[in-house]
Amino acid sequence: MVVLKLVLDAFLLAVATTAQQIPLNGEQPNEKWTQFHHPIRRVAVIGAGPAGLQAAAKLIEHNFEVRLFDRSPSPGGNWFYTDETPVREPYPDKPVNEVPDVPQQLPAVHYYKDGEDGISLEDRWKEHWQPRPLWDSLHTNSPAVITELPGVPYSAAQPWVLSNHVIQAHVRAYASLHNLNANDDTNVTSYATRAESLEKIKETQTWRLTLRKLERIPEIKSIKATWWTEEFDAIVSATGPYVAPHVPTIDGIDNWSRAIRDDDGYSIYHSQSYRRPQRYQNKTILIVGASVSASEIARDIAPFTKTLYTSIRVSSHIFHDKLLTNSQPHAKLSPFQLRSRLRFPEIATVVPEIKSFEPLVDHKKGIKDGKIHLVNGSVLTGIDEIILATGYIRSKTFGPNLTADGQPEDLHWTGHWIPDPTLAFTNVRSWTIGKYQSYAFAKVWEGTAHLPPQWEMQKDYDDRKYQFRGLFSSPQAEALFRQYVAWLNNESLENGGRFVEPWPLENREIFAYYSEVEWIKGYTGLRNFTDFENLPQSEWPSGHAAAWESIVFEEEGW
Ligand SMILES: Cc1cc2nc3c(=O)[nH]c(=O)nc-3n(C[C@H](O)[C@H](O)[C@H](O)COP(=O)(O)OP(=O)(O)OC[C@H]3O[C@@H](n4cnc5c(N)ncnc54)[C@H](O)[C@@H]3O)c2cc1C
Ligand SMILES: NC(=O)c1ccc[n+]([C@@H]2O[C@H](COP(=O)([O-])OP(=O)(O)OC[C@H]3O[C@@H](n4cnc5c(N)ncnc54)[C@H](OP(=O)(O)O)[C@@H]3O)[C@@H](O)[C@H]2O)c1
Ligand SMILES: *[C@@H]1O[C@H](CO)[C@@H](O)[C@H](O)[C@H]1NC(C)=O
Ligand SMILES: *[C@@H]1O[C@H](CO)[C@@H](O)[C@H](O)[C@H]1NC(C)=O
Ligand SMILES: *[C@@H]1O[C@H](CO)[C@@H](O)[C@H](O)[C@H]1NC(C)=O
Ligand SMILES: *[C@@H]1O[C@H](CO)[C@@H](O)[C@H](O)[C@H]1NC(C)=O
Ligand SMILES: *[C@@H]1O[C@H](CO)[C@@H](O)[C@H](O)[C@H]1NC(C)=O
Ligand SMILES: *[C@@H]1O[C@H](CO)[C@@H](O)[C@H](O)[C@H]1NC(C)=O
Ligand SMILES: *[C@@H]1O[C@H](CO)[C@@H](O)[C@H](O)[C@H]1NC(C)=O
């Protein structure tokens, strides 16, 4: 098959050129707000998780012509649990800018055969939609009141901590309520469809989205791939915070990554592939990492393992000690990471960070005889399997570059991309602030809410005025809640539209109580629930350092 490697930089260049040729409206002194080249009618939403589903539903309610795409065969985003596991993670991490190959002539159809390019049909399918990093017993580390979509409440009997299977059904119910499920109107939704690239067309000032849909055709033992393009006036990128697994860079890990166990699996694998504990019976397991995946998988497998080690690096130890002895917790540690420290099972032996893996001679015999050098000089051996609970990285999405923290650059606090606000990102906690953000997308693009002129948005961004930076890690949720409510209602008063209500007080109460019990005793007492009123905007903190400044802790990725 002839393929053309699309270079994303070419796209970025195209956008940059466009932005220069079309004068930014805001640069005209008498423009009071950002205006669009033409009325916005057709909008694509990429991603059908909690964020994208809400955006699509809101845009449909506001009479936009919406297309919703997701690479996965069902709605649910991160919460679509399957026993199917993802294709093996690369060792080391892949560069974040990698762009998929697309045929030169579009539309195009190709029937993949088993083993084509050395890839099995099963792997081809899994690579396309990427099964989710959930395990069977996974429960939330957030209480139900802040993990709920509007209009499909959990039953009153539901415990605060939810099983992933409950959330999965919940998100599907939301999709069905809005006719966005996989068996609903395929004029609107297209599942098993991955957005491959995005470019702005200069002449029409529209976005061209290149898509690839896969269909499994077992009768002829093949997978049908279809590529095509569609054009849109505006785009919502709702591709989620955990795009790719992260593998740590440790000497020798590449060599060890090829070791095969007796039962044919790899001896080292990322926590994204963990599903069930039973097969850990009588095994000696090493878990790497100190956060939620590490502690929860450790708890799950502990009743089965013969010996369980967890490798926690020094920085994490320091956090740990500080947290246990001091009410001034280390700023870098999020509350749920703290909760993890306290949840490691007692039988787990904590060992220091891994310095290196001594190269294996025979990879067919697994890693049991291999030597793991720890930073304190000790050597660990006799391990059957290693689970890397070392977190996730965001890979490059469409449009903006990513900041050092892996977040799209130049976003207005509403999620609109400042250089071209017809592209927007869902960059708030989807379960809570997501409903306001979705409404804002609809209002801005229908003209019942105005964004400041582009120069002003850029200046605010550059001045770090709104350093929510999309709230990827800045938890000033209370500030953002209030900002959304005040702004949306003011715009509706001026330009028409429904009013929104603030987040219910009882939810705040429940959340405060949950945080006391689950995270740290006195958590809410550490903070002043009225601090927000006294907080000058210039002091709204940013980044992880702000975690403990928040009144209601929020993080987009959680
Ligand atoms: C193991 C784990 C446990 C978690 N536990 C909790 C928890 O207890 N509580 C909590 O609040 N949060 C938790 N989270 C965070 C979780 O990400 C959020 O709850 C929520 O799912 C985020 O919603 P979203 O819609 O922004 O992104 P997602 O749910 O990730 O949805 C993004 C969607 O975009 C699609 N997509 C991505 N790229 C493309 C493309 N190129 N083309 C088409 N579609 C694409 C994906 O297929 C996916 O369906 C957890 C995350 C992980 C990994
Ligand atoms: N509901 C649930 O039960 C549940 C379960 C799993 C995940 N989640 C959510 O999913 C998200 C991701 O969680 P996660 O635990 O997978 O990832 P994570 O929070 O990013 O944690 C990654 C861990 O890996 C460690 N690490 C990274 N590189 C390392 C190295 N070279 N050596 C040793 N340790 C290394 C980090 O150490 P440092 O601490 O030193 O940086 C950190 O402890 C979070 O939002 C979490 O809340 C929820
Ligand atoms: C999809 O669009 C086609 C063409 O406009 C129309 O005939 C069909 O009824 C639509 N399908 C649904 C389910 O609305
Ligand atoms: C556990 O493993 C040991 C050595 O690996 C083996 O001798 C023993 O029979 C195993 N026990 C069970 C119950 O599988
Ligand atoms: C290194 O750490 C391990 C696990 O905590 C411990 O058993 C061992 O004694 C330490 N070795 C040295 C040399 O300090
Ligand atoms: C691992 O390292 C050993 C020793 O250098 C070498 O013999 C072996 O070929 C390496 N294996 C792989 C798969 O890289
Ligand atoms: C992305 O970063 C590169 C290198 O810093 C820069 O040249 C380019 O203009 C940036 N693109 C966008 C869209 O910001
Ligand atoms: C409300 O909207 C008007 C008109 O756009 C604007 O002048 C005013 O500053 C806004 N007020 C707030 C609080 O945003
Ligand atoms: C809470 O805020 C009040 C008023 O700003 C202040 O006097 C008090 O010291 C604060 N309490 C804490 C625990 O920070």
Side-chain angles (χ1 to χ4, degrees), residues 46-52 69-72 76-79 129 132-135 138-142 147 193-195 238-242 293 392 398 426 429-431 556-558:
I46 307 168
F69 303 103
D70 200 299
R71 63 195 293 182
S72 112
N78 179 69
W79 298 100
W129 82 268
R132 309 290 118 124
L134 296 177
W135 51 94
L138 186 138
H139 281 67
T140 47
N141 58 352
S142 54
T147 318
T193 302
R194 196 168 71 188
T239 52
Y242 300 113
S293 292
Y392 296 84
F398 311 104
T426 57
R429 180 172 164 79
S430 51
W431 304 102
E556 174 264 4
W558 160 79

Side-chain angles (χ1 to χ4, degrees), residues 12 15-16 396 399-401 409-410 417:
L12 293 174
V15 169
K396 172 118 188 153
N401 289 341
E409 251 171 5
D410 297 328
W417 188 39

Side-chain angles (χ1 to χ4, degrees), residues 264-484:
D264 222 25
Y266 287 104
S267 303
I268 301 192
Y269 46 93
H270 188 269
S271 59
Q272 65 164 348
S273 299
Y274 174 72
R275 290 293 179 271
R276 289 168 203 280
Q278 286 77 8
R279 52 169 294 276
Y280 293 85
Q281 184 75 49
N282 200 24
K283 291 192 172 179
T284 297
I285 303 296
L286 169 63
I287 297 178
V288 183
S291 188
V292 192
S293 292
S295 67
E296 301 313 293
I297 292 174
R299 287 174 80 89
D300 213 29
I301 66 177
F304 296 89
T305 52
K306 185 167 87 191
T307 311
L308 181 58
Y309 294 104
T310 59
S311 167
I312 294 181
R313 58 180 168 187
V314 171
S315 53
S316 309
H317 275 305
I318 293 169
F319 294 155
H320 190 90
D321 295 343
K322 275 202 171 185
L323 283 161
L324 293 179
T325 57
N326 190 334
S327 63
Q328 283 288 313
H330 193 289
K332 260 193 82 178
L333 198 70
S334 74
F336 53 74
Q337 286 174 326
L338 159 64
R339 175 176 177 260
S340 292
R341 302 298 195 282
L342 306 172
R343 282 174 61 86
F344 277 103
E346 266 178 28
I347 71 148
T349 304
V350 176
V351 300
E353 185 175 353
I354 299 167
K355 181 158 172 277
S356 64
F357 295 99
E358 201 171 303
L360 299 166
V361 185
D362 185 357
H363 289 76
K364 300 232 164 60
K365 279 173 40 193
I367 56 173
K368 193 144 188 145
D369 299 330
K371 292 191 171 122
I372 302 169
H373 294 270
L374 304 174
V375 290
N376 77 347
S378 280
V379 174
L380 198 59
T381 184
I383 306 292
D384 292 307
E385 293 173 35
I386 299 176
I387 304 176
L388 301 170
T390 43
Y392 296 84
I393 46 174
R394 180 183 287 273
S395 59
K396 172 118 188 153
T397 39
F398 311 104
N401 289 341
L402 299 181
T403 65
D405 318 343
Q407 302 154 35
E409 251 171 5
D410 297 328
L411 293 194
H412 187 51
W413 64 268
T414 54
H416 294 87
W417 188 39
I418 298 166
D420 186 340
T422 60
L423 174 62
F425 290 79
T426 57
N427 61 339
V428 296
R429 180 172 164 79
S430 51
W431 304 102
T432 50
I433 299 179
K435 74 170 176 181
Y436 302 113
Q437 179 163 65
S438 306
Y439 189 39
F441 291 161
K443 282 183 76 70
V444 163
W445 288 336
E446 76 181 5
T448 61
H450 301 315
L451 294 176
Q454 276 163 292
W455 66 264
E456 199 178 310
M457 291 194 281
Q458 192 65 53
K459 188 168 179 307
D460 282 349
Y461 180 85
D462 293 341
D463 291 351
R464 307 174 72 81
K465 194 159 168 192
Y466 292 116
Q467 272 309 311
F468 307 120
R469 189 77 136 255
L471 215 72
F472 277 118
S473 55
S474 163
Q476 281 301 61
E478 184 67 20
L480 197 58
F481 267 120
R482 293 184 191 209
Q483 173 133 331
Y484 263 114

Side-chain angles (χ1 to χ4, degrees), residues 184-187:
D184 289 319
D185 188 351
T186 50
N187 291 344

Side-chain angles (χ1 to χ4, degrees), residues 60-350:
I60 289 168
E61 192 184 303
H62 285 249
N63 300 314
F64 289 96
E65 192 187 317
V66 173
R67 290 280 275 152
L68 173 64
F69 303 103
D70 200 299
R71 63 195 293 182
S72 112
S74 273
N78 179 69
W79 298 100
F80 175 48
Y81 174 85
T82 57
D83 284 343
E84 210 174 347
T85 54
V87 289
R88 184 107 191 286
E89 58 282 350
Y91 290 76
D93 290 342
K94 264 206 288 196
V96 294
N97 291 325
E98 217 166 71
V99 204
D101 290 337
V102 170
Q104 223 150 6
Q105 293 286 326
L106 297 184
V109 171
H110 181 79
Y111 288 85
Y112 288 109
K113 291 288 171 210
D114 196 22
E116 189 173 326
D117 311 322
I119 300 171
S120 69
L121 286 181
E122 196 196 338
D123 275 1
R124 177 91 55 192
W125 172 247
K126 296 201 302 190
E127 186 276 330
H128 180 74
W129 82 268
Q130 198 172 38
R132 309 290 118 124
L134 296 177
W135 51 94
D136 187 41
S137 74
L138 186 138
H139 281 67
T140 47
N141 58 352
S142 54
V145 288
I146 63 159
T147 318
E148 183 175 79
L149 293 171
V152 283
Y154 296 112
S155 88
Q158 197 54 245
W160 287 5
V161 169
L162 305 162
S163 145
N164 86 74
H165 299 282
V166 171
I167 305 191
Q168 167 165 227
H170 174 78
V171 182
R172 269 205 309 270
Y174 182 88
S176 289
L177 185 69
H178 295 279
N179 292 310
L180 295 171
N181 213 326
N183 58 352
D184 289 319
D185 188 351
T186 50
N187 291 344
V188 177
T189 60
S190 187
Y191 285 97
T193 302
R194 196 168 71 188
E196 304 286 88
S197 66
L198 181 69
E199 65 181 313
K200 186 92 182 197
I201 306 165
K202 224 182 338 176
E203 301 75 45
T204 52
Q205 284 292 295
T206 52
W207 293 100
R208 180 182 293 141
L209 188 59
T210 301
L211 299 150
R212 179 176 96 149
K213 186 182 175 81
L214 290 196
E215 292 161 77
R216 283 186 292 186
I217 312 185
E219 302 82 58
I220 54 166
K221 291 203 178 67
S222 59
I223 286 179
K224 179 185 180 188
T226 312
W227 289 263
W228 76 100
T229 62
E230 292 191 31
E231 287 182 27
F232 297 95
D233 301 311
I235 305 280
V236 176
S237 173
T239 52
Y242 300 113
V243 183
H246 166 61
V247 160
T249 36
I250 302 174
D251 259 6
I253 197 169
D254 181 43
N255 187 294
W256 276 47
S257 72
R258 289 164 232 206
I260 306 282
R261 323 185 288 252
D262 300 341
D263 55 356
D264 222 25
Y266 287 104
S267 303
I268 301 192
Y269 46 93
H270 188 269
S271 59
Q272 65 164 348
S273 299
Y274 174 72
R275 290 293 179 271
R276 289 168 203 280
Q278 286 77 8
R279 52 169 294 276
Y280 293 85
Q281 184 75 49
N282 200 24
K283 291 192 172 179
T284 297
I285 303 296
L286 169 63
I287 297 178
V288 183
S291 188
V292 192
S293 292
S295 67
E296 301 313 293
I297 292 174
R299 287 174 80 89
D300 213 29
I301 66 177
F304 296 89
T305 52
K306 185 167 87 191
T307 311
L308 181 58
Y309 294 104
T310 59
S311 167
I312 294 181
R313 58 180 168 187
V314 171
S315 53
S316 309
H317 275 305
I318 293 169
F319 294 155
H320 190 90
D321 295 343
K322 275 202 171 185
L323 283 161
L324 293 179
T325 57
N326 190 334
S327 63
Q328 283 288 313
H330 193 289
K332 260 193 82 178
L333 198 70
S334 74
F336 53 74
Q337 286 174 326
L338 159 64
R339 175 176 177 260
S340 292
R341 302 298 195 282
L342 306 172
R343 282 174 61 86
F344 277 103
E346 266 178 28
I347 71 148
T349 304
V350 176

